Amino acid sequence: MAFRTDVINKQGYFISLEGGEGVGKSTQIRLLGADLKEKGFDIIETREPGGCPGGNAIRHLLLEGDIHRWTNATEALLFAAARSEHVTRVIRPALDKGQWVLCDRYIDSSLAYQGDASGIGEDNIRKLHYIGSQGLMPHRTLLLVLPNGEGVERAKIRDGNQGNRFEKRDLDYHKKVNEAFHKLALENPERFRIIDASGTAEMVHKRIMHSIDDLLS
Ligand SMILES: Nc1ncnc2c1ncn2[C@@H]1O[C@H](COP(=O)(O)OP(=O)(O)OP(=O)(O)O)[C@@H](O)[C@H]1O
Ligand SMILES: [Mg+2]
C-alpha cells in the first residue's frame, strides 16, 4: 500500500475552542479545519456536548426544553457523561492514530458554566472529568473573547427566539461564565491563548492561526 505523502506524518494535537454563547467558535472551527486540511494535516472536527451517538443523545437532553429542566448537579453529570462517551469513542482513538482533534467546547466550558456560574465547584467538575475521561486535557485551548453580551446578541440574530437552554440564561449568568473563562486562561497560560473575537471572521481566523503557529512546524 502506498503511503500518502500529502498528509504530514507527525503527532496530532488536541485543540479546544472555548468561549461564551455566539462568540464564533463553530465558525472558527470550520475555518481552522479547512486551513489545516489544506496544509496537509490529518484532522477531525468535533463538538461538545455531542461528537458521537451517545454524546448527541445527551446533547438533546442538555440543550432542549425548559430552562429549569435539570438541577445544576444533574446538568454537570450529563455533561461529564457526554464527554466520557466522546473521549472514549472519538477523541482518544483519533489522537492514538496521530490525528489532530479540533473540538468546539470541552472541559473548560464545564468548569466555567457548571463549575463556576452554576455553583457546582471547579474541583467537583475536575473529579467528574477524571472519572469519565481520565482527565484528558487539550494541548491548546483557544478562548474567544467578546465584550459581555455581544456574543449572546450574535447568537440571538442567528437563532431568533429559538435559543437553547443556555442562551436563555440572563446576562448576569453569562457575565459569570465569561469571568470564569478569563480566570481559567490566566491560571493556565501555557495551555490557553486568548483570542480577540471582534472584527470579521477572517480577521479572527488570522489571529487563531498565529496562536497555533508553534504547533505547525
Ligand atoms: N467575526 C464575526 N462577525 C460577525 N458575526 C459573526 C462572526 N463570526 C461568527 N459570526 C456569526 O455569529 C453567530 C454566532 O457564531 P457561531 O455560531 O460561530 O458562534 P458559537 O460560538 O459557535 O455559538 P454557540 O455558543 O451558540 O455555539 C453566527 O450567526 C455567525 O455566522
Ligand atoms: Mg457553536
Side-chain angles (χ1 to χ4, degrees):
M1 197 182 85
F3 285 105
R4 285 184 66 181
T5 51
D6 57 328
V7 173
I8 295 168
N9 191 16
K10 69 189 283 277
Q11 179 206 353
Y13 289 104
F14 177 14
I15 300 179
S16 60
L17 263 78
E18 295 281 9
E21 310 299 314
V23 289
K25 299 176 295 299
S26 303
T27 304
Q28 293 303 323
I29 281 263
R30 282 194 291 276
L31 293 173
L32 177 59
D35 202 335
L36 291 178
K37 270 185 205 153
E38 202 180 295
K39 288 181 165 57
F41 293 97
D42 187 7
I43 63 139
I44 64 159
E45 288 166 43
T46 189
R47 70 172 180 182
E48 291 207 346
C52 60
N56 282 328
I58 300 172
R59 180 183 180 91
H60 287 293
L61 297 177
L62 280 164
L63 299 189
E64 294 167 10
D66 186 79
I67 193 168
H68 301 299
R69 181 178 188 182
W70 308 113
T71 66
N72 289 340
T74 304
E75 204 168 87
L77 289 162
L78 285 171
F79 273 109
R83 183 162 304 119
S84 177
E85 286 294 306
H86 191 206
V87 165
T88 307
R89 299 182 195 279
V90 175
I91 296 179
R92 244 185 225 288
L95 293 171
D96 287 346
K97 279 192 275 180
Q99 290 179 302
W100 288 53
V101 175
L102 309 181
C103 193
D104 189 339
R105 294 194 183 276
Y106 190 65
I107 182 64
D108 298 292
S109 279
S110 288
L111 291 166
Y113 284 74
Q114 285 69 50
D116 205 304
S118 296
I120 296 295
E122 285 185 20
D123 285 350
N124 287 329
I125 299 296
R126 286 185 214 281
K127 278 182 205 147
L128 296 182
H129 187 48
Y130 185 77
I131 295 166
S133 307
Q134 301 80 47
L136 180 72
M137 296 302 281
H139 296 103
R140 178 126 332 147
T141 297
L142 310 176
L143 176 62
L144 272 57
V145 178
L146 278 178
N148 278 324
E150 282 190 25
V152 176
E153 282 310 309
R154 277 188 192 175
K156 273 189 189 147
I157 293 167
R158 182 193 59 197
D159 301 337
N161 284 327
Q162 305 299 309
N164 68 39
R165 291 184 57 249
F166 293 91
E167 285 165 37
K168 287 177 188 154
R169 294 179 186 185
D170 62 21
L171 188 59
D172 189 48
Y173 184 89
H174 292 293
K175 206 169 154 213
K176 279 188 195 151
V177 167
N178 288 342
E179 283 166 8
F181 272 131
H182 196 66
K183 182 174 78 80
L184 287 164
L186 295 183
E187 284 170 359
N188 300 278
E190 66 299 328
R191 177 165 65 88
F192 270 91
R193 299 292 181 273
I194 296 177
I195 310 289
D196 173 5
S198 62
T200 65
E202 207 39 60
M203 286 161 71
V204 180
H205 174 61
K206 284 208 181 91
R207 290 176 201 136
I208 284 182
M209 290 309 288
H210 184 61
S211 77
I212 60 161
D213 216 15
D214 57 315
L215 306 182
L216 301 180
S217 49

